[in-house]
Amino acid sequence: MLEKKQCEAFLAVVETGSFDQAGKMLCLTPSAVTLRLQALEKELGQLLIIRSKPCTLTTSGQHVFEYLKKSQRLEQNFLHDLMNKSQAEFFKVVIASNADSLATWLLPTLKDVLIKNKILLNLIVDDQAHTYSLLEKGIVNACISIEPKPMKGCKSQYLGMMKYKMIATKAFTKKWFAWYK
């Protein structure tokens, strides 16, 4: 069985991209985070993180990361189902969204469901062309993406499209678009 504190250190480094930030997140010194991660790597016999700026996962590290995130979700679901749902803590969900969806329709659409079901939402903002890879890596539970085909074990729902209209002052248009008539 994997040591919980070592796994927490590993996840913190992955999520923050650095040992310094992981230390702040866990209220530890960066050297304590390093020691925990080294102990996990020694136990598994694999290098898990490439020490660069930002830190990146090795192939083995990606497998460990996916396993730990799935384990966290399973434990969370188990505890949520086991406890009386009215007494349960908030259920944590991570969604990746593009900034435009977040700024316009996403939160008003989800608000009532989040409150009714006691869901704590963690949002990761990225381009809609990149959010699907966050789902594939197990970083998020769901995403708003341009990818039409669902990942294995997931569902895909078409949400529609957004139209954009360019608006500018006359002075801006005159300065930057004088050539366009």
Side-chain angles (χ1 to χ4, degrees), residues 152-181:
K152 185 178 176 183
C154 295
K155 293 180 184 176
S156 177
Q157 177 68 45
Y158 178 74
L159 298 175
M161 59 184 270
M162 293 178 70
K163 293 184 180 183
Y164 294 89
K165 185 175 184 178
M166 185 172 167
I167 300 173
T169 64
K170 287 182 181 181
F172 183 88
T173 304
K174 186 177 179 182
K175 180 177 180 179
W176 296 103
F177 297 100
W179 55 268
Y180 183 76
K181 295 210 182 214

Side-chain angles (χ1 to χ4, degrees), residues 9-163:
F10 170 74
L11 288 171
V13 172
V14 174
E15 290 169 8
T16 63
S18 81
F19 286 83
D20 289 337
Q21 292 302 314
K24 288 177 185 174
M25 180 185 211
L26 298 171
C27 299
L28 296 170
T29 63
S31 60
V33 173
T34 300
L35 290 172
R36 288 182 182 183
L37 181 58
Q38 286 174 339
L40 180 61
E41 289 175 327
K42 184 176 180 181
E43 181 180 334
L44 296 175
Q46 299 285 324
L47 181 66
L48 302 176
I49 292 182
I50 298 168
R51 277 81 166 159
S52 59
K53 293 196 183 211
C55 294
T56 55
L57 290 169
T58 64
T59 303
S60 297
Q62 183 64 43
H63 291 302
V64 172
F65 177 75
E66 290 170 9
Y67 168 78
L68 292 174
K69 291 307 257 185
K70 286 176 187 171
S71 296
Q72 283 180 337
R73 283 193 296 274
L74 282 171
E75 181 179 349
Q76 178 183 328
N77 291 343
F78 169 74
L79 292 173
H80 191 264
D81 290 342
L82 186 64
M83 299 170 68
N84 181 343
K85 292 186 181 178
S86 64
Q87 295 175 338
E89 290 184 21
F90 278 80
F91 190 77
K92 298 174 187 103
V93 175
V94 183
I95 296 178
S97 171
N98 60 318
D100 294 341
S101 296
L102 182 58
T104 54
W105 63 268
L106 183 61
L107 291 178
T109 304
L110 295 177
K111 180 185 79 171
D112 293 337
V113 173
L114 296 174
I115 293 168
K116 180 182 175 191
N117 295 294
K118 294 178 75 174
I119 297 173
L120 178 64
L121 185 61
N122 182 6
L123 290 165
I124 296 178
V125 180
D126 204 341
D127 185 85
Q128 63 269 17
H130 301 138
T131 54
Y132 189 80
S133 68
L134 298 172
L135 183 64
E136 287 178 314
K137 293 175 183 174
I139 295 171
V140 299
N141 303 96
C143 68
I144 296 172
S145 172
I146 61 172
E147 180 61 44
K149 293 183 181 179
M151 188 175 84
K152 185 178 176 183
C154 295
K155 293 180 184 176
S156 177
Q157 177 68 45
Y158 178 74
L159 298 175
M161 59 184 270
M162 293 178 70
K163 293 184 180 183

